[in-house]
């Protein structure tokens, strides 16, 4: 899936936006997330996951090509922690499958919207 | 920043009502969830990419009792930070990290 497909799904599912407006809106969502992370602020998207920032100290490493020891400088990194809901959506339990319409709420919502 | 703060920020920036901004934000993450559920990767240039990685079954342990527990095979989403965002994040090192703890919802 690319950003263009997210735009298409916004255009198709949420009425009232032109294609251009849909594209601008999706761009803006990712742009704002980048700005937020660029201010050192974490993002928690309930039902999806958390974008977490971590400061790493300098540590020794090796050039994987030559094996030469090098210093890995201190840095700030971004990691993604998937929410339990997203993990469950990717791993539906077999005993829940028959009642997917009633029981497996996240899946039912995702398909129904 | 939480999802509802992202919705508020989008409403302000794009002159949408909060209700409309909420539809937009939910649609973005719902589409992404649908793609991952189908085992499809997602690529957002400048931001990063999501892939679904399969993990084999293994025998784990209950950390409290030490009893072996079979862990079934599973699929987990994996995020690779894009080059652009990686640099943006690293250049914010002089700022304190904010946004609360890392707890799940």
């Amino acid at each position: 899936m690319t950003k263009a497909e997210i735009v298409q799904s916004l255009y198709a599912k949420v009425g009232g936006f032109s294609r251009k407006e849909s594209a601008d809106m999706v761009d803006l969502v990712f742009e704002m997330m980048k700005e937020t992370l660029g201010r050192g602020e974490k993002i928690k998207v309930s039902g999806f996951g958390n974008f977490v920032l971590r400061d790493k100290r300098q540590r020794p490493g090796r050039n994987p090509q030559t094996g030469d020891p090098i210093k890995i400088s201190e840095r700030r990194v971004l990691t993604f922690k998937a929410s339990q809901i997203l993990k469950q959506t990717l791993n539906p339990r077999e005993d829940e499958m028959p009642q997917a319409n009633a029981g497996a709420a996240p899946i039912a919502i995702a398909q129904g919207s | 920043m939480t999802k509802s703060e992202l919705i508020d920020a989008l409403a302000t920036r794009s002159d949408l009502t909060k209700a409309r901004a909420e539809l937009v934000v939910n649609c973005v993450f719902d589409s992404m969830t649908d793609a991952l559920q189908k085992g499809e990767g997602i690529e957002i240039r400048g931001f990063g990419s999501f892939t679904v990685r399969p993990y084999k079954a293994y025998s784990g342990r209950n950390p409290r009792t030490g009893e072996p527990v079979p862990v079934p095979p599973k699929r987990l989403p994996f995020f690779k930070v894009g080059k652009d965002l990686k640099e943006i994040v690293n250049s914010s090192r002089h700022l304190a990290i904010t946004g609360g703890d890392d707890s799940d919802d």
Side-chain angles (χ1 to χ4, degrees):
Chain A
M1 167 174 266
T2 61
K3 203 157 68 177
E5 290 168 76
I6 300 176
V7 170
Q8 176 55 33
S9 125
L10 178 62
Y11 177 73
K13 288 180 184 168
V14 178
F17 293 126
S18 69
R19 273 181 201 279
K20 169 84 169 68
E21 285 168 334
S22 306
D24 289 347
M25 222 66 77
V26 172
D27 278 339
L28 193 50
V29 168
F30 288 108
E31 202 45 55
M32 288 191 310
M33 290 174 70
K34 272 163 80 167
E35 286 171 15
T36 303
L37 295 165
R39 299 196 284 269
E41 192 178 336
K42 301 169 193 172
I43 303 176
K44 297 181 181 191
V45 182
S46 64
F48 190 76
N50 297 345
F51 294 88
V52 181
L53 298 166
R54 272 182 214 294
D55 286 326
K56 301 284 191 182
R57 276 193 301 245
Q58 185 198 82
R59 63 191 163 94
R62 284 187 188 275
N63 178 331
Q65 236 124 52
T66 63
D68 293 343
I70 43 168
K71 264 186 208 164
I72 297 173
S73 59
E74 62 172 350
R75 61 192 61 200
R76 176 168 291 179
V77 297
L78 170 63
T79 55
F80 174 69
K81 270 201 71 183
S83 82
Q84 284 305 324
I85 296 173
L86 180 58
K87 287 185 192 172
Q88 277 164 20
T89 305
L90 294 189
N91 300 281
R93 279 172 47 189
E94 272 159 43
D95 54 313
E96 283 175 0
M97 299 272 257
Q99 320 112 8
N101 291 332
I107 298 170
I109 289 165
Q111 289 174 340
S113 59
Chain B
M1 170 179 264
T2 61
K3 190 166 86 172
S4 63
E5 287 167 343
L6 180 60
I7 289 165
D8 289 349
L10 177 67
T12 308
R13 283 270 284 269
S14 61
D15 225 356
L16 289 179
T17 63
K18 261 187 206 180
R20 296 282 290 163
E22 185 170 10
L23 289 175
V24 171
V25 169
N26 283 339
C27 181
V28 168
F29 290 108
D30 286 351
S31 326
M32 291 169 73
T33 302
D34 284 352
L36 294 172
Q37 195 188 355
K38 289 183 214 151
E40 225 181 282
I42 304 165
E43 195 189 327
I44 311 291
R45 225 168 295 165
F47 189 82
S49 56
F50 297 84
T51 48
V52 180
R53 294 189 173 177
Y55 289 84
K56 287 181 197 148
Y58 62 94
S59 173
R61 272 180 198 285
N62 179 331
R64 226 172 295 174
T65 64
E67 265 175 274
V69 186
V71 179
K74 60 188 166 191
R75 301 190 301 161
L76 293 178
F78 177 81
F79 176 64
K80 183 164 188 272
V81 188
K83 201 170 165 246
D84 195 14
L85 183 54
K86 195 183 243 183
E87 280 161 19
I88 290 172
V89 162
N90 193 37
S91 58
S92 78
R93 256 186 305 150
H94 59 289
L95 301 168
I97 295 176
T98 58
D101 61 25
D102 299 346
S103 67
D104 204 2
D105 44 87

